[in-house]
Amino acid sequence: MQGYIVNINRVRDEDLIVTVLSKNTLHTTYRFYGARHGTINLGFKIDFELQTSPQSSIARLKDVMHIGFPWIYSHAKLRVWQQFNALLYKHLKQTQELDSFYFDLLDYAAKTIDKQNSKRVMVEIYTRLLKLEGRLHTENICFLCNDKIEGDIAYLRAFLPTHPSCSHRLHVRSEAMNELMLNNSSFFLSNKEIDILWFVINEGL
Ligand SMILES: [Zn+2]
């Protein structure tokens, strides 16, 4: 089975509780410390097996093989990637059964990040996530005052649109944002605007 490590918690001395997002499940697993084990890290894609036993309510993570990405040694890309994986864990941690689009989104992002600005990739996949979850607000109505937004848009958490004068936040151009929301393309957003949107994403999915 393959999955992404979205959370790691150290327990006792060196043992770990590892949460792995596979195609349809968020697995909470136990990993015993052992010298033979390779290192695992947040955001890594792994091939793995689960071993269940009647004595334990939590499956044991075994036969772990790291499936590397070509960009894994880029600190900047890895940091953004790990941050998004951690945010996704917080967003999904109450669930166990998942729609496969979360796994597919990570797969897509892991491939695309190689050639693109990593924050730009995350802004695009987060917009897709909101759309797939039915939470994407494409009608530019201000969340705070309920009036139509004609010009630039400032976003609250989960890309809730507001007038910059209502939320007093940094804003992006609405035409560039419409292109992202309707066609999933961040092409017209500047790197500065991508930074603004990445900041919003970091407030929580
Ligand atoms: Zn407003």
Side-chain angles (χ1 to χ4, degrees):
M1 195 166 14
Q2 295 191 344
Y4 288 92
I5 296 176
V6 290
N7 192 54
I8 300 176
N9 268 333
R10 198 166 287 282
V11 284
R12 296 202 209 138
D13 295 329
E14 298 286 346
D15 296 350
L16 304 171
I17 302 278
V18 183
T19 310
V20 187
L21 187 153
S22 73
K23 195 101 185 167
N24 291 106
T25 313
L26 194 64
H27 305 273
T28 305
T29 70
Y30 199 88
R31 190 166 200 251
F32 290 102
Y33 174 75
R36 290 175 298 123
H37 290 163
T39 41
I40 56 170
N41 208 339
L42 178 63
F44 276 18
K45 187 177 188 182
I46 56 169
D47 194 279
F48 66 102
E49 299 291 335
L50 291 177
Q51 187 180 54
T52 48
S53 81
Q55 292 90 352
S56 172
S57 59
I58 178 165
R60 183 179 163 192
L61 184 65
K62 58 184 284 250
D63 298 339
V64 175
M65 197 182 74
H66 177 209
I67 302 167
F69 307 124
W71 47 265
I72 204 93
Y73 297 108
S74 158
H75 280 287
K77 284 183 197 279
L78 185 62
R79 240 178 75 191
V80 168
W81 174 254
Q82 289 184 322
Q83 185 59 22
F84 190 84
N85 276 262
L87 288 160
L88 189 61
Y89 168 71
K90 279 192 192 133
H91 179 57
L92 297 173
K93 67 179 175 185
Q94 308 298 345
T95 26
Q96 210 176 350
E97 305 235 323
L98 297 175
D99 194 296
S100 60
F101 74 69
Y102 297 103
F103 181 87
D104 295 340
L105 270 187
L106 288 181
D107 253 359
Y108 168 81
K111 282 191 194 90
T112 318
I113 218 172
D114 195 28
K115 297 170 206 78
Q116 270 211 51
N117 173 325
S118 48
K119 292 178 189 170
R120 192 170 279 280
V121 175
M122 296 307 144
V123 165
E124 288 185 0
I125 68 162
Y126 179 56
T127 309
R128 278 168 64 181
L129 182 149
L130 288 174
K131 195 179 281 182
L132 290 161
E133 291 184 347
R135 295 194 288 138
L136 189 65
H137 292 261
T138 51
E139 288 170 12
N140 295 331
I141 305 292
C142 178
F143 185 71
L144 297 173
C145 76
N146 263 325
D147 276 346
K148 180 117 186 94
I149 303 166
E150 302 287 355
D152 298 338
I153 308 178
Y155 286 97
L156 303 178
R157 182 176 172 171
F159 286 1
L160 289 175
T162 66
H163 294 108
S165 57
C166 285
S167 60
H168 306 288
R169 295 187 130 213
L170 294 172
H171 54 262
V172 299
R173 288 162 305 129
S174 56
E175 318 83 67
M177 205 55 198
N178 288 341
E179 177 67 14
L180 174 68
M181 297 214 166
L182 298 176
N183 300 320
N184 250 312
S185 166
S186 67
F187 187 78
F188 296 111
L189 289 161
S190 68
N191 283 344
K192 187 176 166 237
E193 287 172 313
I194 289 291
D195 282 344
I196 291 170
L197 295 169
W198 174 241
F199 181 85
V200 176
I201 292 173
N202 275 276
E203 294 180 305
L205 308 187

